[in-house]
Amino acid sequence: MSEVITRPAFQTTDEAWQWVYEQDLEYADNHRFAFTDDPTAVAEYEEKQERGCCGSFDSIIEVNGRRAYIGCNYGH
């Protein structure tokens, strides 16, 4: 995954998810989130990402000063 932050920082993960939901991703599922400094969470994120189908949405963000991956799959 790219290391470029693709969205301004959020204060909470709830704010970050709200931003994702505002992207109008029809049939969104396979929601995933991981702080980049948590190797276990990143591995789980990547596993979910590989199992997804159809379109994918993934972004690098900051939540309360920590870099994170956030994403989902959409469309069927």
Side-chain angles (χ1 to χ4, degrees):
M1 279 184 266
S2 170
E3 291 301 316
V4 175
I5 295 175
T6 56
R7 173 62 173 90
F10 300 98
Q11 292 299 310
T12 67
T13 56
D14 287 342
E15 287 179 5
W17 281 117
Q18 183 60 39
W19 172 72
V20 171
Y21 301 143
E22 290 171 358
Q23 303 307 305
D24 194 30
L25 305 171
E26 190 172 15
Y27 306 114
D29 65 1
N30 195 13
H31 296 88
R32 49 193 178 263
F33 178 90
F35 285 108
T36 60
D37 61 0
D38 181 342
T40 302
V42 170
E44 291 172 3
Y45 185 100
E46 290 173 343
E47 286 176 22
K48 285 185 88 170
Q49 187 179 35
E50 289 174 13
R51 288 192 312 258
C53 69
C54 303
S56 65
F57 173 88
D58 292 283
S59 187
I60 299 172
I61 59 171
E62 282 191 6
V63 177
N64 201 22
R66 289 177 71 190
R67 189 173 290 221
Y69 300 121
I70 193 168
C72 64
N73 288 89
Y74 63 92
H76 289 285

